[in-house]
Amino acid sequence: MLTQIKGLHHVTSMAASAQENSDFFTKTLGLRRVKKTVNFDDPEVYHLYYGDEIGTPGSVMTYFPFPHIARGRPGAGEVGETSFSIPEDTLGYWKDRLALRGVDGLSEHELWGEKRLRFKGPDGDAFSLVEVKDDRRRGWTGTEVDADKAVKGFHGATLRLRDPGATRELLSFMGYHEVDRKGEWSRFAVSGRNGADVVDLEVVPSADLARLGAGSVHHIAFAVDNRAAQLEVRRALIDTGYQVTPVIDRDYFWAIYFRTPGGVLFEIATNEPGFDRDEDTGHLGQALKLPTRYEPYRDEISRRLEPIRD
């Protein structure tokens, strides 16, 4: 069993509009845009990162906004819902706030004894806010959302699977423990890590396979402290039979990827070097940052990108 995994690192999804996406996460949810860069494989598309003040691993939601992309189709083999941690007794505040801003899909419910508020993002993305006791992480307070109500970071994510058996084994190998099971749901968690410690499995045996598009999660990333730990995890996964990519430099972390038995794309990302490697903390997410190989084409890339008004 691996011991290097520290919880979630980030979740990366698809969107149709960069401006709408930025407004939703910064002005509605009150997160900070901590990086404005581009897709490493398609520099005409932004890669936008949102999180706490410094983009702490376990707080970062990221997006590829592809203009005119078709809406994704929910189904099996994907991350079905991403959940954020909020302080106790703030669900009412958030329900009123999201309702005033016309957010779709608002509904309160309980799961695993937790009070949750479900809602939809601009592209139909499935989210929930979860009241979490004793979450000591600090949310971003640079918006109109007060510190005692601010989003702390991720609570976890739900994987929707036709057959969860092999994924249960994988999560157990990654250091997660099954802590509860109710009907078609099961909960896995790691303890004492970064706060983004929960992965839920929802069994949907007759569901169609998900189709990637706007509102879909592209991949979910798990955190390790450094490159040495990442290499240990990579060797262990390969020895177990998984086909894992080489280490890829993503400027703000190093990444490896592999496809899970249920079809979800997993990433293992390092906590180093962080989002302040190329701009100071006070100005994170303001300037367009490009990977080194794209710097000679900055003017052309900038002309092709949709301007984002802050």
Side-chain angles (χ1 to χ4, degrees), residues 158-212:
T158 299
L159 311 184
R160 304 183 77 232
L161 307 169
R162 286 177 173 174
D163 182 350
T167 301
R168 287 188 176 121
E169 292 181 4
L170 171 61
L171 289 172
S172 296
F173 180 69
M174 290 172 60
Y176 283 76
H177 301 276
E178 186 172 13
V179 295
D180 205 349
R181 190 182 298 192
K182 295 178 181 177
E184 299 303 310
W185 291 82
S186 54
R187 164 156 286 193
F188 286 77
V190 290
S191 58
R193 307 300 171 91
N194 67 9
D197 299 335
V198 172
V199 176
D200 293 330
L201 305 184
E202 180 187 5
V203 183
V204 286
S206 59
D208 291 336
L209 291 177
R211 183 183 64 213
L212 192 65

Side-chain angles (χ1 to χ4, degrees), residues 32-181:
R32 186 183 193 186
R33 195 178 68 219
V34 294
K35 194 61 59 180
K36 181 169 66 172
T37 183
V38 295
N39 186 319
F40 272 60
D41 301 314
D42 187 351
E44 295 183 6
V45 175
Y46 281 115
H47 195 174
L48 304 176
Y49 294 76
Y50 311 97
D52 64 9
E53 181 180 11
I54 61 172
T56 305
S59 77
V60 183
M61 190 80 205
T62 99
Y63 273 86
F64 300 131
F66 286 89
H68 314 300
I69 189 175
R71 181 71 65 92
R73 181 184 67 196
E78 67 170 354
V79 176
E81 182 178 274
T82 304
S83 62
F84 295 94
S85 170
I86 57 173
E88 286 188 292
D89 302 320
T90 62
L91 211 66
Y93 164 83
W94 279 104
K95 185 176 183 180
D96 291 343
R97 178 180 177 82
L98 298 186
L100 283 171
R101 284 159 175 76
V103 174
D104 291 334
L106 289 173
S107 66
E108 292 186 60
H109 73 116
E110 286 198 18
L111 182 65
W112 315 115
E114 300 168 339
K115 295 180 180 179
R116 306 165 73 96
L117 177 65
R118 279 183 167 154
F119 61 98
K120 297 290 187 182
D123 295 289
D125 330 40
F127 295 112
S128 63
L129 298 172
V130 184
E131 290 190 354
V132 179
K133 185 178 180 179
D134 297 329
D135 187 340
R136 299 183 182 277
R137 294 177 293 172
R138 295 185 60 182
W140 170 236
T141 57
T143 70
E144 62 187 38
V145 179
D146 294 335
D148 61 348
K149 300 179 180 67
V151 172
K152 303 281 190 176
F154 292 128
H155 180 49
T158 299
L159 311 184
R160 304 183 77 232
L161 307 169
R162 286 177 173 174
D163 182 350
T167 301
R168 287 188 176 121
E169 292 181 4
L170 171 61
L171 289 172
S172 296
F173 180 69
M174 290 172 60
Y176 283 76
H177 301 276
E178 186 172 13
V179 295
D180 205 349
R181 190 182 298 192

Side-chain angles (χ1 to χ4, degrees), residues 259-270:
R259 186 73 61 178
T260 68
V264 183
L265 183 61
F266 275 15
E267 175 184 345
I268 308 296
T270 62

